[in-house]
């Protein structure tokens, strides 16, 4: 007979570790984190040169928690001595937090499928069956790139699969996608003297919006703006790629404008991610943005007891794809589970004081007057 845990958390990234530290501080004694690789595995896969666009700065003493922290009274900047951490460095911070709270993590356990019968979840994994009363899905996005956004996309290479921009062979590239990852790729390739052409559906570099979930972040724009209009970077905006075809000497990239762009190198796909929730389609319902529909406590509307934490979380027009956004919902999930399990909820007061507790969604959103 398998042990039935109170809570199983899937994923040991910032969301999984963040929710788990709350359960630990609530004196939950029956929970487990299942991780298919290592703590912070997605960050360990980042290209060597990639950095956080959100700055890290230790200002807790003045009521401003590090934007990339997942637990109050911690700071990646202080731990790592970095303002814009690399992926490898941030994984180290997550490891430090996990060790500090002695979190129960089982590594090398990949979830294959999850089913629910009555009030119990059965989690089928590569290392056997686990059962629990609640599941927190925190498996993230980065390890699930969108590899087939259009015909012929398999001829390109997704930006998340490139270990280092410095080591990429070739001198002239086409990048498909103009959000953060596409512009970041162009910036690093430009640093190394390589030419790029960005083909993007949306001119993110021109959008008048202060929300980095919608428009280009100021950090990314400030790094790449000197390349705009130079010989190293050409931008083709308001244009969708419709297909890629291999030709004798390279690749033809077809676009919605009717123009075909040629490149001798594999096109770089900065086409985003399909997300890990595709692994649990039987337990979720999706909305107009293809987002998983959740209620006001981030519980799946299709399956009670299943909670979504992390960058895939969305409430109507509110996008929670940055750590400083989705970390504010950890306490909402933990409070709900803690109340149902009769745990000690006193730690929530600290989370509220540290702005790690966003319950009223009408209060969130980016608004800048100037």
């Amino acid at each position: 007979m398998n042990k039935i845990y109170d809570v199983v958390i899937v994923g040991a990234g910032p969301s999984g570790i963040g929710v788990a530290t709350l359960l630990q501080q609530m004196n939950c004694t029956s929970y487990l984190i299942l991780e298919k690789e290592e703590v912070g595995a997605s960050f360990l896969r980042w290209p060597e040169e990639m950095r956080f666009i959100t700055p890290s700065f230790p200002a807790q003493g003045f009521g401003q928690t590090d934007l990339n922290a997942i637990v109050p009274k911690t700071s990646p900047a202080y731990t790592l001595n970095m303002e814009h951490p690399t992926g490898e460095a941030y994984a180290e911070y997550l490891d430090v937090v996990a060790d500090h709270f002695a979190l129960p993590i089982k590594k090398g356990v990949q979830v294959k499928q999850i089913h629910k019968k009555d009030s119990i979840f059965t989690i089928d994994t590569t290392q056997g069956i686990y059962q629990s009363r609640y599941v927190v899905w925190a498996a993230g996005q980065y390890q699930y790139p969108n590899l087939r956004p259009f015909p012929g996309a398999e001829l390109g290479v997704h930006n998340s699969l490139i270990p280092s921009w410095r080591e990429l062979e070739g001198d002239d590239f086409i990048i498909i996608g103009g959000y953060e990852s596409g512009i970041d790729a162009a910036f690093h390739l430009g640093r190394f003297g390589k030419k790029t052409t960005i083909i993007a559906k949306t001119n993110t570099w021109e959008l008048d919006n202060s929300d980095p979930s919608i428009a280009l972040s100021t950090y990314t724009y400030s790094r790449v703006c000197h390349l705009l209009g130079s010989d190293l970077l050409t931008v083709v905006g308001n244009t969708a790629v419709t297909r890629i075809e291999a030709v004798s000497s390279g690749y033809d990239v077809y676009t919605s404008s009717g123009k075909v762009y040629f490149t001798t190198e594999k096109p770089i796909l900065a086409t985003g991610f399909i997300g890990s929730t595709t692994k649990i389609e039987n337990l979720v319902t999706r909305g107009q943005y293809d987002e998983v529909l959740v209620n006001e406590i981030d519980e799946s509307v299709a399956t009670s007891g299943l909670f979504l934490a992390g960058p895939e979380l969305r409430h109507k027009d509110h996008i929670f794809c940055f750590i400083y956004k989705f970390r504010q919902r950890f306490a909402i999930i933990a409070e709900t589970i803690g109340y149902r399990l009769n745990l000690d909820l006193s730690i929530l007061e600290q989370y509220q004081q540290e702005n790690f507790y966003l319950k009223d969604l009408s209060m969130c959103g980016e608004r800048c007057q100037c």
Side-chain angles (χ1 to χ4, degrees), residues 11 39 87 106 128 150 155 226 259 266-267 270 298 334:
V39 171
K106 282 193 175 290
F150 44 74
L155 298 171
H226 71 283
K259 187 171 182 179
K266 282 190 172 186
D298 298 350

Side-chain angles (χ1 to χ4, degrees), residues 310-328:
E312 284 195 72
L313 180 64
R314 184 164 183 162
H315 284 272
K316 296 183 179 179
D317 292 333
H318 298 312
I319 305 170
F320 290 82
C321 61
F322 284 90
I323 288 171
Y324 73 89
K325 293 183 177 184
F326 64 69
R327 73 180 183 188
Q328 296 184 84

Side-chain angles (χ1 to χ4, degrees), residues 7-281:
V7 188
V8 164
I9 298 170
V10 180
S15 301
I17 299 296
V19 173
T21 57
L22 266 164
L23 294 176
Q24 182 74 9
Q25 293 173 93
M26 289 178 173
N27 298 322
C28 183
T29 58
S30 178
Y31 76 97
L32 188 64
I33 303 173
L34 302 180
E35 167 55 48
K36 68 175 185 174
E37 295 180 21
E38 299 289 332
V39 171
S42 290
F43 296 96
L44 293 172
R45 290 172 180 261
W46 277 15
E48 180 184 330
E49 299 84 6
M50 185 178 283
R51 298 260 178 172
F52 269 68
I53 65 174
T54 45
S56 283
F57 196 83
Q60 293 91 323
F62 291 87
Q64 301 295 325
T65 306
D66 190 318
L67 284 176
N68 298 313
I70 58 167
V71 181
K73 310 301 183 187
T74 72
S75 169
Y78 178 79
T79 300
L80 305 171
N81 290 316
M82 289 185 186
E83 186 171 346
H84 292 274
T86 63
E88 183 179 7
Y90 194 74
E92 179 185 341
Y93 160 73
L94 295 178
D95 249 330
V96 168
V97 173
D99 288 344
H100 176 77
F101 286 94
L103 301 181
I105 303 173
K106 282 193 175 290
K107 301 176 184 178
V109 181
Q110 183 167 355
V111 173
K112 296 191 289 186
Q113 56 185 351
I114 302 177
H115 296 282
K116 186 182 183 186
K117 184 177 181 181
D118 299 326
S119 61
I120 302 299
F121 288 93
T122 297
I123 304 160
D124 184 10
T125 80
T126 52
Q127 301 299 320
I129 300 293
Y130 294 86
Q131 292 185 306
S132 67
R133 293 177 176 84
Y134 299 99
V135 169
V136 178
W137 189 264
Q141 287 183 309
Y142 193 80
Q143 296 185 50
Y144 303 88
N146 185 6
L147 300 177
R148 298 294 177 91
F150 44 74
E154 68 278 3
L155 298 171
V157 56
H158 198 275
N159 71 287
S160 66
L161 302 177
I162 295 174
S164 170
W165 297 111
R166 183 193 304 273
E167 297 174 4
L168 195 64
E169 295 183 358
D171 297 309
D172 198 345
F173 295 88
I174 287 178
I175 299 172
I176 301 168
Y179 279 90
E180 293 293 336
S181 57
I183 302 296
D184 184 71
F187 165 70
H188 289 297
L189 290 171
R191 284 174 59 209
F192 303 129
K194 300 175 186 290
K195 294 182 179 180
T196 58
T197 297
I198 291 178
I199 304 175
K201 292 180 183 178
T202 304
N203 296 17
T204 57
W205 52 90
E206 295 177 350
L207 289 180
D208 183 19
N209 195 301
S210 60
D211 186 351
S213 298
I214 298 171
L216 207 60
S217 70
T218 53
Y219 175 71
T220 301
Y221 182 80
S222 67
R223 291 186 302 159
V224 80
C225 64
H226 71 283
L227 293 175
L228 293 171
S230 74
D231 291 339
L232 289 175
L233 177 59
T234 301
V235 290
V236 181
N238 298 319
T239 303
V241 169
T242 56
R243 72 182 189 277
I244 300 174
E245 291 185 2
V247 293
S248 59
S249 54
Y251 306 88
D252 281 340
V253 178
Y254 290 78
T255 68
S256 56
S257 68
K259 187 171 182 179
V260 180
Y261 295 83
F262 172 78
T263 174
T264 57
E265 313 299 340
K266 282 190 172 186
I268 296 169
L269 307 179
T271 48
F273 306 88
I274 58 172
S276 61
T277 52
T278 54
K279 303 296 181 183
I280 51 170
E281 289 290 356

